[in-house]
Amino acid sequence: MAITDDLRKTLTDPTPLYFAAGTADLAVQQAKKVPALIEQLRSEAPARIDAVRNTDPKAVQEKVTIRAKEAQATVQAKVTEVLGTLDTDVKKLGEQAQDLALRSVGVAAEYAVKAREAYEKVAEHGEQSVRAWRGDAAEEINEIAVAVEPDPEPQKKADEPKAAEAKAAPATKTPPARKAPAKKATPAAEK
């Protein structure tokens, strides 16, 4: 029974659909920005290509060599620092490992909460998008209905006397009949 209840709850929950709608809406919003970015790249591309063509390869090679040497020196310094600070005490290393594991569990829980919050934000955005889409469709349907259907006013005037009569004669309620309490059967005498 619990499995069917879980399945029923999962299949009737609209949140994943709202999440999908929110994701689609956000994707459409981002896609609308693409033509402007393409136009910007088209306008900037010739200048960038000329800058690359006019760059001296030897100067670029010198800059790369200098940066590589700096990175190598930094890495060597960090490795030396880490190796120098390693503690050989096994008990202390075990405590540090346990502390690190507990911290990682805390960080994982924090990221799970943040992921859930982001999921709910996108789902809420999707719900608002769906409401907006439904509202637009509802407005179109109302416009069509007004164009097709005649004026409903004459029907309302004919229904008004009936509604007034129904209000004038209130219905009387009868209290429900009470049941007599059931008598308990006495157990048979033991032998």
Side-chain angles (χ1 to χ4, degrees), residues 169-190:
T172 57
K173 292 186 178 180
T174 57
R178 290 189 174 187
K179 292 183 180 179
K183 293 183 180 178
K184 292 185 180 180
T186 56
E190 293 182 25

Side-chain angles (χ1 to χ4, degrees), residues 15 32 38 41 60 98-99 113 119 125 164 181:
T15 305
K32 288 179 181 178
I38 290 174
L41 289 175
V60 172
Q98 186 178 8
D99 184 48
V113 168
Y119 174 80
H125 179 79

Side-chain angles (χ1 to χ4, degrees), residues 106-129:
V107 168
E110 181 180 342
Y111 283 132
V113 168
K114 286 182 180 180
R116 180 67 184 181
E117 289 173 355
Y119 174 80
E120 289 174 355
K121 274 185 177 179
V122 173
E124 183 179 322
H125 179 79
E127 186 176 0
Q128 292 172 353
S129 298

